[in-house]
Amino acid sequence: MTLTLTTAGESHGPALVAIVGGLPAGLRLDRDAIAADLHRRRQGYGRSPRQKLEEDELDVLAGLRHGLTLGTPLALVIANRDHANWTWGMSPWPPTGEQSGKGSSPVTLPRPGHADLAGTLKFGHDDVRNALERASARQTAVHVAAGTVAKTLLAEIGVSVSGRPVEIGGADTEAGWKDATDAARSDRDTLGGVVEVIADGVPPGLGSYADKPDRLDARLAAALMGIQAVKGVEIGEGFALARMRGSAAHDEIEPDRGRLTNRAGGIEGGITNGEPVVVRAAMKPLPTLMRPLRSVDLATGEPGEALVERSDVQAVEALAVVAEAAVAWELARAARDKFGGDALADFAGAHAAYLERIAWPRTP
Ligand code: EPS
């Protein structure tokens, strides 16, 4: 039994879609909790005016009855309100009527740092928009909705997950983040940053050392690197461990199974060790600059300036919410792998029985 997530949707298309498979039956979803996380994702000091336009209201089309999961695929949809301005440009079918509105003329000036050039070449598009629409971080909205579902499942076994920004534009205080964002905005530039996600209450034994795809640290790294603009991931002290001696790096084991330190970030040998799971993700500066970078016009081969369109100055606060969802998703997936169960009671019961088995000291 594992969790699966399939998504579809373009940034200015009609909607974002997700299908979640592998949930147990009988899990009570909270509409307000999903709305609250979707709202959090839209916040942040450096966000584009797009976030005022979108409401990110979630529709559930299947897999839920009276708030309880049915143990069948859960279908989630978030409409793009901005699509109303793109009905010609992003029409799924050949558009009829006057060629007007956004997206009506092809984009031929790829932005360095975005998927524009590589995506256009790879798929043979003659309009960069065909690549950028799906590559857009807009699709993180449905991942956040799926993440709230994952957090709801994890709460059943006492696990909580929380993400926060730790650095924006090189600054590490909230006042510094604002100043850095204001300065970048007035220079028509963009910023990146670092976020941290901590999961508490994680039982020992999620993940495995058996093979690479089983390692929870590998899964978390893939999940975080899979988020738009993420260029680095650390588990626990990460790169800093490389500069320490073993005597300073490792978390000594106490008889009560607690550790004095948690430099491993709660994962040893690809398996959770019962300490909080701590991960960080580094986000590069966003590639849409109001002062555009040098590029090439793909239609003429001539030098040009990259596409400029409404965008965020930085979206690190949003990444914290998206990274939280990604970590929750991977932990929930590992928990489903380990505890299984068709009904929620089976899943929770297997978790309780497991905790009893590993209780320490063991009685003969
Ligand atoms: C994005 C570009 C911007 C962001 C978008 C991600 O889109 P737009 O040009 O429509 O303002 O606002 O993020 C979202 C729409 C969102 O909901 O997070 C990009 O190129 O990745």
Side-chain angles (χ1 to χ4, degrees), residues 12 41 47-48 50-51 114 136-138 309-310 312:
H12 304 100
R41 194 198 69 93
R47 297 289 263 152
S48 107
R50 173 87 186 265
Q51 298 313 315
H114 211 282
S136 166
R138 169 73 188 143
E309 57 176 32
R310 171 191 65 190
D312 310 288

Side-chain angles (χ1 to χ4, degrees), residues 11-12 41-42 47-51 54 56 82 86 111 114 132 135-141 228 288 309-312:
S11 179
H12 304 100
R41 194 198 69 93
R42 293 205 310 281
R47 297 289 263 152
S48 107
R50 173 87 186 265
Q51 298 313 315
E54 296 298 342
D56 289 356
D82 200 17
W86 296 76
R111 291 159 294 178
H114 211 282
L132 72 85
S136 166
R138 169 73 188 143
Q139 64 139 315
T140 58
Q228 289 80 350
T288 311
E309 57 176 32
R310 171 191 65 190
S311 191
D312 310 288

